[in-house]
Amino acid sequence: MRLRFVWQILPAFFSLILLTLLLLTWLFARNLSTFYLEETAAGLEARARLAAFQIADSFALDHSDRLDELSIHLSRETGTRFTFVLPSGAVLADSLESPELMENHALRPEVAIALTGTIGQATRYSNTVHKNMMYVAIPVHHQDQLVGVVRAALPVTTIDQTLGIVYRQIIVSGIVVMLIATLIGTYISRRISRPLEEMRRGAERFARGELTERLRIKGSIEITALATAMNTTAYELDQRMRTVVRQHNEQEAVLASMVEGVLAVDTSERIIRINRAAATLLGVSAEEVKGRSIQESIRKADLQRFVRRALSARDPVEGDIVLHGNEDLYLQAHGSLLRGESGQELGALIVLNDVTRLRRLENVRRDFVANVSHELKTPITAIKGFVETLQEGAIADPDSASQFLEIMMRQADRLNDIIDDLLILARIEQDSDQQELPLVEMSLAPVITAAVQASANLAAEKQLQIESFCPAALRAPINAPLLEQALINLLTNAIKYSPEQGRVLIETAQSDRFVTISVRDWGCGIDKVHLPRLFERFYRADKARSRKLGGTGLGLAIVKHIAQAHGGEVSVTSTPGEGSTFSLQIPLKAQHHNSLSPATTVQASPKTPPDQED
């Protein structure tokens, strides 16, 4: 059993003390008992001889009455029981019992020995007094003839009582000695174990990496030598660990700060190291996948194939990896063999570059070029076709010429609108990049009112009502002209896709960080498949309907860039057949208490709406 040092010493102390006490007690009790019995026997013999000297004549003359009185008198004076026995064994007198009631004592051991002429002694239980008694019997002679036996007896319970007292004293003394031994043993064990405990705690500190605190060197030569050796070991270990930690931290800092993902595998395709960028790209936990095979931890078939290719190739390899998910990731991978100091192959090092944004930018650029080319080519083709028609003689027909020229004017206006919107986008992006967009903290109510008034003519054509709810005290840092342009674009879209005699609602809400302006309509709605791309340039959810309703296809893209220029964002929720809600979030620099103002309802008047983008 693993016990503390004190509990290994104390049992030995206790065992030694207990054994010594038991031995001493046994010897002392034995000697004391022997001494007591010998002294008692000697005393009884002396008393018996004294009594025999006094009664020798009475024995010879058989004066039983005198002997009975004498036995009682002697018993009272000496505290001893006396019995006078004839040679026949008959009891002539007894100090405690009537002789007539007593048995013949010729067969009593001590009496039988005394009748032979020697002193008889015996110790046994007495049925008369119900105690252990010591009997000493001596022969009584008169004129050289044996005339009887005098027997003296005393109870031996006194020795038992004396030994009991001695035993109790020994037990008490033993307990005291054990307590003293416990204190001494505890002191000695603590004196020995305290340095060992300090070294144990020091070793635990060393195990935890706390290597700067040294052990105190004191105690015996062996303990001080051990403490010195442990301090030296701790110092050497501390220096080596500092070097290892410094190198590890430098390596981890380099790997963690890398934008590229780094993945190291051994020859069995188990992951040795993976940095934070690689774990993020692959969607795994660096701690969980470490030491596991790449097939088990990263279920990407393209990556697994590239790892096998890098392990089997003698030269560095390159390749493209596509990770499919909610959003596809495009990675450019570089792989090379890992070699040890002696040139043995340890595995492969894979470096992953995320080129998803570049791919998306390429796709956006390609789509933009295609879309803008298409948007520009449509009016140019129409203009060119009507010009050719006029050149072929239609100009001679005034009615046809006038109609063709009117169409050509509308297509030229469409070209101009597209160019204007492109210039607006370019200016917003340039101002945002150069941080030159002026933002002024002001009330939002006038800006919303201006946007509603600008859209009133278009709403009047469809007999729509535009309702706005905005607290008069609601303020935010904004660029008023740009925000008004964004709201006009959202209102224009809402009006175009709303049924006649419907309504469009503008609401505002304030949170701890943002002001939200929502434009809601109850029109045809937008299918959720189109929502992620709705704010791209020239993207149309329903191309036929959008072209029929007019617009350049840049209106929502302008809204998105205006929101970004304010440090906010724009979002949309829509249900086909139930309508759409576009929400413009603008960050707050300060919070203001505001109360809701009465709803403002604008009844559109029958005027011609301006040409707005969708």
Side-chain angles (χ1 to χ4, degrees):
M1 295 177 62
R2 300 178 60 186
L3 299 174
R4 296 182 65 86
F5 188 70
V6 65
W7 297 114
Q8 296 181 14
I9 289 182
L10 289 182
F13 271 59
F14 290 158
S15 300
L16 180 61
I17 293 171
L18 183 61
L19 182 62
T20 303
L21 288 176
L22 290 176
L23 181 60
L24 291 176
T25 302
W26 178 76
L27 291 174
F28 182 78
R30 179 183 178 187
N31 293 332
L32 180 63
S33 178
T34 302
F35 174 78
Y36 179 80
L37 293 176
E38 289 176 354
E39 289 294 318
T40 302
L44 289 174
E45 181 181 351
R47 295 169 191 174
R49 287 185 183 278
L50 180 61
F53 177 75
Q54 296 180 12
I55 66 171
D57 294 338
S58 300
F59 255 113
L61 299 175
D62 194 12
H63 292 162
S64 58
D65 294 338
R66 183 175 178 276
L67 289 176
D68 193 59
E69 292 177 359
L70 183 60
S71 65
I72 295 173
H73 174 73
L74 291 174
S75 175
R76 186 183 303 116
E77 293 295 329
T78 63
T80 307
R81 179 186 179 186
F82 285 96
T83 306
F84 302 145
V85 183
L86 293 173
S88 62
V91 177
L92 189 61
D94 189 87
S95 60
L96 296 180
E97 191 71 31
S98 175
E100 292 80 6
L101 301 177
M102 298 178 68
E103 299 176 352
N104 189 288
H105 280 45
L107 298 179
R108 297 290 194 271
E110 69 280 1
V111 175
I113 294 173
L115 290 175
T116 62
T118 60
I119 299 173
Q121 180 180 336
T123 301
R124 65 177 180 275
Y125 183 78
S126 173
N127 292 322
T128 302
V129 297
H130 304 291
K131 291 181 181 179
N132 285 327
M133 304 288 288
M134 175 178 280
Y135 300 95
V136 175
I138 62 173
V140 180
H141 293 86
H142 182 71
Q143 296 179 356
D144 297 331
Q145 290 185 358
L146 181 68
V147 294
V149 173
V150 174
R151 188 182 71 175
L154 280 175
V156 294
T157 56
T158 306
I159 186 61
D160 295 334
Q161 295 173 355
T162 303
L163 290 177
I165 294 172
V166 171
Y167 289 151
R168 287 194 294 272
Q169 291 176 348
I170 290 175
I171 291 173
V172 172
S173 301
I175 292 174
V176 174
V177 171
M178 284 189 177
L179 291 176
I180 296 174
T182 301
L183 295 176
I184 295 174
T186 303
Y187 172 76
I188 294 174
S189 65
R190 291 294 297 169
R191 187 178 179 86
I192 297 173
S193 64
R194 187 178 294 112
L196 297 177
E197 286 288 332
E198 291 181 0
M199 282 190 283
R200 179 187 63 80
R201 289 192 292 269
E204 290 176 351
R205 291 196 302 271
F206 296 162
R208 293 194 301 267
E210 301 173 7
L211 302 174
T212 55
E213 186 176 352
R214 297 290 180 260
L215 298 175
R216 290 185 295 176
I217 300 176
K218 64 177 184 178
S220 64
I221 296 176
E222 294 81 0
I223 292 177
T224 55
L226 179 59
T228 302
M230 291 183 65
N231 286 337
T232 304
T233 303
Y235 174 78
E236 296 293 336
L237 186 60
D238 183 39
Q239 296 301 315
R240 295 185 182 183
M241 287 187 64
R242 287 178 183 273
T243 302
V244 171
V245 170
R246 184 177 65 255
Q247 294 175 350
H248 176 76
N249 290 339
E250 292 173 354
Q251 185 182 43
E252 287 296 325
V254 171
L255 290 176
S257 61
M258 290 180 63
V259 178
E260 297 83 2
V262 178
L263 176 67
V265 298
D266 60 13
T267 54
S268 299
E269 299 184 16
R270 289 192 299 268
I271 297 175
I272 304 174
R273 293 292 300 274
I274 181 172
N275 71 342
R276 187 186 309 164
T280 303
L281 288 174
L282 299 174
V284 297
S285 171
E287 296 299 327
E288 293 180 358
V289 301
K290 189 175 181 180
R292 298 167 60 185
S293 67
I294 194 168
Q295 291 82 4
E296 177 186 0
S297 54
I298 304 175
R299 301 180 181 277
K300 308 294 182 183
D302 289 352
L303 179 62
Q304 295 173 10
R305 284 193 293 268
F306 186 82
V307 169
R308 287 193 292 270
R309 179 184 166 196
L311 287 171
S312 61
R314 301 296 94 189
D315 298 322
V317 295
E318 295 184 0
D320 293 331
I321 298 174
V322 180
L323 303 181
H324 299 285
N326 294 332
E327 293 185 1
D328 292 344
L329 290 179
Y330 297 90
L331 305 179
Q332 190 177 53
H334 301 267
S336 59
L337 290 176
L338 282 175
R339 299 184 182 276
E341 295 181 357
S342 58
Q344 74 275 19
E345 293 184 4
L346 302 178
L349 180 68
I350 312 297
V351 179
L352 304 173
N353 292 283
D354 186 4
V355 294
T356 304
R357 186 170 179 273
L358 294 177
R359 294 289 178 90
R360 289 175 179 172
L361 289 176
E362 289 178 1
N363 293 335
V364 170
R365 180 186 57 80
R366 185 165 50 250
D367 292 344
F368 174 73
V369 171
N371 289 331
V372 74
S373 299
H374 179 75
E375 294 293 336
L376 293 175
K377 186 175 181 181
T378 300
I380 290 174
T381 301
I383 294 173
K384 183 178 179 181
F386 285 112
V387 169
E388 291 176 351
T389 303
L390 291 174
Q391 287 177 343
E392 292 175 356
I395 194 172
D397 185 357
D399 294 335
S400 298
S402 176
Q403 181 182 0
F404 293 162
L405 291 174
E406 184 179 349
I407 294 173
M408 292 168 61
M409 179 62 70
R410 286 200 303 270
Q411 296 299 329
D413 290 339
R414 177 174 175 78
L415 281 173
N416 186 64
D417 291 341
I418 293 174
I419 294 171
D420 286 343
D421 285 348
L422 289 174
L423 291 175
I424 291 173
L425 281 173
R427 178 169 58 83
I428 295 172
E429 291 177 345
Q430 182 179 3
D431 291 344
S432 298
D433 292 341
Q434 297 177 359
Q435 298 181 349
E436 294 180 355
L437 186 68
L439 299 178
V440 179
E441 185 170 345
M442 60 181 296
S443 175
L444 297 180
V447 179
I448 294 176
T449 301
V452 171
Q453 292 174 350
S455 306
N457 291 339
L458 186 60
E461 293 182 357
K462 302 183 71 172
Q463 299 180 2
L464 288 171
Q465 284 187 343
I466 303 177
E467 301 175 0
S468 65
F469 295 86
C470 179
L474 185 60
R475 301 172 65 86
I478 62 172
N479 183 290
L482 286 182
L483 183 59
E484 181 181 346
Q485 179 65 53
L487 293 176
I488 291 174
N489 289 359
L490 293 177
L491 286 172
T492 301
N493 266 7
I495 293 170
K496 286 183 178 180
Y497 293 97
S498 294
E500 293 187 1
Q501 298 181 354
R503 59 191 283 254
V504 175
L505 177 63
I506 301 178
E507 292 181 307
T508 58
Q510 181 177 347
S511 64
D512 294 338
R513 297 176 54 196
F514 294 97
V515 168
T516 303
I517 305 174
S518 300
V519 178
R520 182 179 181 185
D521 65 71
W522 284 264
C524 59
I526 306 168
D527 193 278
K528 64 179 181 180
V529 70
H530 299 292
L531 296 181
R533 301 189 59 189
L534 201 59
F535 295 96
E536 293 181 9
R537 302 176 187 185
F538 298 111
Y539 185 82
R540 301 176 188 270
D542 187 346
K543 296 183 179 181
R545 182 181 179 89
S546 297
R547 295 188 188 280
K548 180 180 179 181
L549 294 175
T552 63
L554 297 171
L556 293 180
I558 293 174
V559 173
K560 172 186 174 182
H561 283 76
I562 291 175
Q564 292 175 347
H566 283 79
E569 61 181 13
V570 64
S571 61
V572 59
T573 59
S574 183
T575 303
E578 296 183 8
S580 306
T581 300
F582 289 83
S583 299
L584 187 64
Q585 285 188 330
I586 300 174
L588 280 172
K589 288 186 178 179
Q591 299 181 19
H592 302 278
H593 178 74
N594 58 73
S595 58
L596 290 176
S597 62
T600 301
T601 303
V602 178
Q603 178 65 43
S605 58
K607 295 183 180 178
T608 304
D611 187 12
Q612 300 291 341
E613 301 82 19
D614 59 352

